[in-house]
Amino acid sequence: MYRILLATNEPAVLDKLNSSVQWDQLYFKPPVIVNDANSAIQAIENGRIDCVAYLLSKYEAAHLNKYLTTVRPNLPVFEIRRSMQAQRHILDDMRRVLDRLYADTSDEVFDESVVMAMLRDELMHSLLCGELDDEKVLLGRLQMLRSHLSVDRPCIVYEYDMPQGEVYMSMRWHYGTERLENALRSNFFGRYYEDLYYIVAVMTPRHIRIVVCQRDDQEIEPLESMTERADKRIHRVLDDVSEYLGLDMVLLKRYTIENLCALTKQ
């Protein structure tokens, strides 16, 4: 079973949680409960904690967030909700994340940072492919996975066509769209490049979508300079893709969306 740390100075929230949540049925031990940031940090340092939720005053929350960001960047964090139905959905999501994080299903050994990156990639694929249409769910999962993607700054979306996509997949690339997406992400675009995050999704053998967004821990960049940098980066990368993979893409359109959450409404 997994061990939760709850940090809050609102007893009423804890009373509702403990009276309505059957922790063992969700595969969680009874939570460790503290009421300030220092006690939370001490609990994390002194024992096994698998995930954290906190609802604290502004100063205490900032103190705990600074510790989690600098010292424990891969420890999953989830929201404390006042609605118990919403809270149970979040706990279900949290358990699924932990199941993946601590899975022992293969001979490969991944550290926490690698697994968290893989889970973020899967989340972004679902978002770009239109499989995630609830903004609150997106925000909750980004928090769980300790993502630094900004959710309130403009993003740039590029839609590409691969005219020979079906032929390419059947004749030259026999590994499917998922492996192609992984290759584009890992071997060509990367995730972060000069503080911009490049999200790549192979929607179909003909359709690739790329979304470029900023980090939430960096200064806000004007859209004009962000677009100029992203255009140059994508142009260079696609030249490399053409040279090394023999795969040509044609830009269908480029447009700006208000923020990452706007993709849940497309």
Side-chain angles (χ1 to χ4, degrees):
M1 289 189 174
Y2 301 118
R3 176 60 54 85
I4 291 175
L5 172 67
L6 297 178
T8 182
N9 48 12
E10 296 192 26
V13 173
L14 292 176
D15 291 342
K16 287 181 68 176
L17 268 172
N18 284 321
S19 65
S20 63
V21 175
Q22 300 296 315
W23 297 103
D24 58 338
Q25 292 181 12
L26 296 173
Y27 208 74
F28 289 108
K29 296 178 181 178
V32 176
I33 299 172
V34 298
N35 60 12
D36 59 50
N38 284 331
S39 298
I41 293 169
Q42 185 176 10
I44 294 169
E45 292 292 328
N46 293 338
R48 174 177 171 174
I49 297 295
D50 297 305
C51 57
V52 175
Y54 58 93
L55 185 62
L56 297 165
S57 66
K58 183 177 180 180
Y59 172 80
E60 291 288 328
H63 181 37
L64 181 54
N65 181 66
K66 181 178 180 181
Y67 164 81
L68 292 170
T69 300
T70 57
V71 181
R72 297 298 299 273
N74 297 307
L75 182 64
V77 175
F78 67 94
E79 298 174 274
I80 294 180
R81 289 283 188 88
R82 299 181 189 277
S83 162
M84 289 303 101
Q85 182 177 3
Q87 189 69 73
R88 281 190 286 271
H89 286 313
I90 288 173
L91 288 168
D92 283 337
D93 275 350
M94 185 75 267
R95 190 192 66 251
R96 285 190 284 269
V97 167
L98 293 171
D99 286 345
R100 292 288 303 280
L101 194 58
Y102 297 112
D104 184 18
T105 58
S106 73
D107 294 331
E108 296 182 273
V109 178
F110 298 116
D111 63 25
E112 290 180 355
S113 63
V114 172
V115 177
M116 291 290 271
M118 292 168 58
L119 292 172
R120 288 191 287 266
D121 292 340
E122 292 174 10
L123 175 62
M124 290 299 100
H125 175 89
S126 296
L127 178 63
L128 267 61
C129 290
E131 299 167 0
L132 187 55
D133 59 5
D134 188 317
E135 180 176 333
K136 290 184 177 179
V137 171
L138 171 63
L139 294 174
R141 291 179 182 171
L142 288 171
Q143 182 184 38
M144 284 181 194
L145 299 176
R146 308 301 304 280
S147 169
H148 282 293
L149 296 183
S150 172
V151 296
D152 56 8
R153 303 181 193 180
C155 303
I156 309 165
V157 182
Y158 299 81
E159 307 281 0
Y160 280 92
D161 177 43
M162 296 186 291
Q164 301 299 317
E166 291 92 344
V167 174
Y168 181 85
M169 290 290 183
S170 61
M171 302 295 292
R172 298 192 59 180
W173 184 270
H174 306 288
Y175 309 109
T177 57
E178 183 178 350
R179 287 282 295 276
L180 177 60
E181 180 176 307
N182 288 337
L184 292 173
R185 180 190 304 115
S186 302
N187 301 330
F188 293 94
F189 282 98
R191 294 180 177 89
Y192 285 109
Y193 182 80
E194 294 182 346
D195 291 330
L196 292 180
Y197 194 92
Y198 291 80
I199 311 168
V200 183
V202 180
M203 319 275 281
T204 71
R206 288 286 304 261
H207 185 193
I208 287 182
R209 176 175 289 165
I210 303 168
V211 176
V212 183
C213 51
Q214 300 182 44
R215 293 175 64 99
D216 63 5
D217 57 352
Q218 301 292 323
E219 292 186 6
I220 298 175
E221 179 176 4
L223 180 60
E224 183 178 353
S225 66
M226 174 185 170
T227 302
E228 182 179 356
R229 292 203 296 130
D231 283 352
K232 289 180 179 178
R233 168 70 174 163
I234 289 177
H235 181 74
R236 288 196 301 268
V237 169
L238 293 187
D239 280 348
D240 290 340
V241 170
S242 178
E243 179 179 355
Y244 291 104
L245 294 185
L247 179 61
D248 294 319
M249 303 183 205
V250 178
L251 179 65
L252 298 175
K253 56 183 175 178
R254 184 197 72 190
Y255 55 96
T256 302
I257 55 177
E258 182 180 6
N259 53 48
L260 197 63
C261 296
L263 290 170
T264 63
K265 302 176 177 63
Q266 291 191 351

